[in-house]
Amino acid sequence: MFQYSFPPSSVGEVGRIGAPSRREIGHGMLAERALEPILPSENDFPYTVRVESTITESNGSSSMASVCGGCLALQDAGVPVKCMIAGVAMGMVLNTEEFGGDGTPLILSDITGSEDASGDMDFKVAGNEDGVTAFQMDIKVGGITLPVMRTALLQARDGRKHILAEMLKCSPSPSKRLSKYAPLIHVMKVNPEKVNIIIGSGGKKVKSIIEETGVDAIDTQDDGTDLSSIEKSKSIISQLTMVPGVGDIYKNCEIKSVAPYGVFVEIAPGS
């Protein structure tokens, strides 16, 4: 979910802040569409992701700034994005015959507010140097020819390359783990035949694991917990469901009993 807000103060105005406007909803959807392709799959990252972009000052494309800032925020939060994404707003001014020109279009890169207001095109393109993830175009003329579109797209690609290079200069390397304030979720796949061992009679075993490790639950929950607690519960579940393998080495195992023909060693609970 991408939440975009554009308070009146960002352009030096005074106004009431309430429900999001149509413009805010549209800009948020554009930024969300731009960033969605780089998100990991639900199987790899079973989290709901919410990015909030609040514009504090604007004299250009705040939606494309939200794409760039949103990408950096995802990296800083530890979301394993597939690549970096940037956005740039392109403009156009026609040298019209009405004012003595020959009709040649002038393509502008990274347009400001006045260029957007007085120009003939507002073309927003998001993606990386290899492709486009989202785009939107507003035009104030009768139409745009294919050669003009090609020029605008190629110029936008050059702009994205430049912005991505600047993002790499100022951004820290992507976080290798989630924030300690984020919910910690770990998904383990075990043999269905071993599930009853984890649950135990009347749920006693799973309750004892929760009490011993301090995790909130042995399932998917919205609340976070301590990483060490999760690792401890993972270890217990792994021991309960492990299957001994030929050639595996087990250390620090308890000798349960000694018999004339050998010893009984517990390599895991019940094994």
Side-chain angles (χ1 to χ4, degrees):
M1 174 186 176
F2 195 103
Q3 182 175 346
Y4 167 98
S5 59
F6 190 90
S9 58
S10 65
V11 287
E13 297 177 356
V14 177
R16 179 174 298 185
I17 299 177
S21 64
R22 291 174 61 187
R23 179 184 181 279
E24 289 175 307
I25 293 173
H27 278 55
M29 290 180 65
L30 176 61
E32 182 177 296
R33 190 164 65 246
L35 293 172
E36 190 174 9
I38 68 171
L39 294 178
S41 67
E42 187 175 355
N43 291 334
D44 296 331
F45 195 74
Y47 293 87
T48 297
V49 179
R50 176 179 175 270
V51 179
E52 179 179 343
S53 177
T54 301
I55 305 304
T56 57
E57 189 275 338
S58 177
N59 185 29
S61 178
S62 54
S63 63
M64 296 297 96
S66 298
V67 171
C68 300
C71 179
L72 293 175
L74 289 171
Q75 287 183 285
D76 186 61
V79 179
V81 295
K82 299 174 183 177
C83 64
M84 291 186 68
I85 290 293
V88 63
M90 310 300 294
M92 181 183 69
V93 176
L94 288 177
N95 188 10
T96 59
E97 298 178 2
E98 179 183 355
F99 297 101
D102 59 359
T104 302
L106 174 64
I107 305 298
L108 308 174
S109 293
D110 196 17
I111 58 175
T112 62
S114 59
E115 292 168 333
D116 182 14
S118 303
D120 298 308
M121 178 181 74
D122 178 15
F123 185 34
K124 300 170 182 177
V125 189
N128 59 13
E129 57 187 49
D130 296 320
V132 173
T133 58
F135 66 88
Q136 176 191 0
M137 182 171 67
D138 299 328
I139 56 175
K140 305 169 188 176
V141 292
I144 300 294
T145 64
L146 287 177
V148 171
M149 282 294 298
R150 177 179 176 83
T151 301
L153 283 168
L154 292 175
Q155 198 164 314
R157 183 178 65 179
D158 293 336
R160 293 197 308 274
K161 287 182 179 180
H162 174 75
I163 295 171
L164 286 168
E166 295 299 316
M167 289 169 62
L168 285 172
K169 289 180 184 178
C170 68
S171 67
S173 58
S175 177
K176 298 301 182 182
R177 62 174 56 192
L178 291 173
S179 165
K180 63 179 180 180
Y181 302 109
L184 297 180
I185 302 173
H186 181 78
V187 179
M188 296 180 64
K189 293 184 178 180
V190 299
N191 189 327
E193 298 177 357
K194 300 282 187 176
V195 173
N196 290 335
I197 300 177
I198 301 172
I199 298 174
S201 177
K204 290 182 179 179
K205 187 60 185 178
V206 71
K207 290 178 182 177
S208 69
I209 297 175
I210 293 172
E211 292 177 359
E212 181 180 347
T213 63
V215 297
D216 292 323
I218 308 296
D219 57 11
T220 303
Q221 295 287 330
D222 291 333
D223 298 326
T225 189
D226 181 72
L227 182 60
S228 62
S229 299
I230 286 183
E231 293 297 331
K232 190 174 181 181
S233 62
K234 282 168 52 182
S235 176
I236 294 176
I237 294 176
S238 297
Q239 290 179 8
L240 288 172
T241 59
M242 64 88 69
V243 177
V246 177
D248 292 345
I249 298 176
Y250 303 92
K251 298 181 179 180
N252 301 321
C253 299
E254 182 181 354
I255 297 177
K256 289 295 186 177
S257 62
V258 179
Y261 48 82
V263 296
F264 288 92
V265 180
E266 184 180 62
I267 57 177
S271 300

